[in-house]
Amino acid sequence: YFFMLPISELLTILWLAGVAGMAVWFLVTNLRFWRTLRRTRTPYAVEGCRYPVYLVAEGLPSPCLFGLIRPAIYLTPAAVASPERLGHVLAHETAHARHGDPLWSLLRCVCLAVYWFDPLVWAAVILSKRDGELACDEGALRNADNPTRAAYGRALIRLVTTKPALTDLFCCATTMTAGKSGLKERIAMIARRPRTLLTAFAAAAFLVGLAVGCTFT
């Protein structure tokens, strides 16, 4: 009976099966990650941080922000090796919270579940996650001088040492993982002098005008 169904119904069943499989993968990945954090975390006192901070002795690839409703910052022993490095990590993870990145991670997972068959969606999710890290780097270094940017880059090199895995795309944690190309791009961005607001606004206005002109033409 199954093989007698029209091709459209067969494809619909295949698509729904893929959506269900991706949804289960998402739930299992995040529940397992949450259980690991709950089992190994200990409160870490930090003055002036508006989010709960925990130290995870082992099992965490990098510092991260995790939690949709009540986000918390989770640190690794390497992140608390020095007060300067801790400050850079907190600035980065606070930028994630300010940008609403846990929610964006959830939306990316929904897109992957619905369009699991489209390689362009997978590529868009990877690039979106990378752009989120770049935005947080720039947010953490807003108005920073050159020595601060250099220290932030050194801390990033020491903390981002794990090659990203496919399961990272389905985890709502903002783990600081990157491959060689992604890390090189982030270091290059940190080394550049930040653009002024006027320059950025002029560039954006030019691009919008160009897009509108091409569209109506």
Side-chain angles (χ1 to χ4, degrees):
Y1 174 77
F2 181 79
F3 294 100
M4 295 176 61
L5 293 174
I7 186 64
S8 59
E9 293 187 16
L10 289 175
L11 292 177
T12 300
I13 293 174
L14 178 62
W15 171 67
L16 291 175
V19 172
M22 290 294 183
V24 171
W25 189 4
F26 167 76
L27 291 176
V28 170
T29 299
N30 286 276
L31 288 177
R32 183 179 299 172
F33 188 78
W34 173 239
R35 288 183 59 187
T36 300
L37 293 179
R38 293 278 293 182
R39 187 172 59 251
T40 58
R41 71 181 187 179
T42 55
Y44 192 85
V46 176
E47 295 183 1
C49 185
R50 57 179 298 185
Y51 301 100
V53 181
Y54 298 95
L55 178 63
V56 181
E58 57 183 9
L60 188 64
S62 71
C64 69
L65 179 79
F66 186 75
L68 292 174
I69 300 177
R70 298 181 60 185
I73 298 174
Y74 295 88
L75 304 173
T76 60
V80 298
S82 67
E84 182 184 47
R85 189 182 302 177
L86 175 61
H88 293 318
V89 170
L90 292 177
H92 181 89
E93 300 305 332
T94 302
H96 273 300
R98 188 169 59 248
H99 297 168
D101 283 340
L103 179 59
W104 288 113
S105 296
L106 176 61
L107 293 177
R108 285 195 294 263
C109 291
V110 171
C111 292
L112 285 179
V114 176
Y115 298 100
W116 57 268
F117 55 88
D118 193 341
L120 294 180
V121 174
W122 287 83
V125 167
I126 294 173
L127 293 176
S128 174
K129 187 175 178 65
R130 180 180 297 184
D131 287 346
E133 292 298 327
L134 291 172
C136 287
D137 288 339
E138 188 60 35
L141 294 172
R142 187 176 302 168
N143 301 324
D145 55 14
N146 289 334
T148 302
R149 298 177 77 89
Y152 182 92
R154 289 192 297 268
L156 187 67
I157 292 175
R158 291 183 178 273
L159 294 174
V160 183
T161 58
T162 304
K163 186 177 181 179
L166 186 62
T167 54
D168 293 341
L169 297 179
F170 280 87
C171 186
C172 290
T174 59
T175 51
M176 299 171 65
T177 57
K180 291 183 179 180
S181 61
L183 182 59
K184 183 185 297 184
E185 183 180 11
R186 293 176 67 178
I187 294 299
M189 189 279 298
I190 293 170
R192 290 198 303 265
R193 296 184 62 182
R195 297 176 180 176
T196 62
L197 181 61
L198 181 61
T199 303
F201 178 78
F206 173 76
L207 291 176
V208 170
L210 182 63
V212 171
C214 294
T215 301
F216 283 98
T217 301

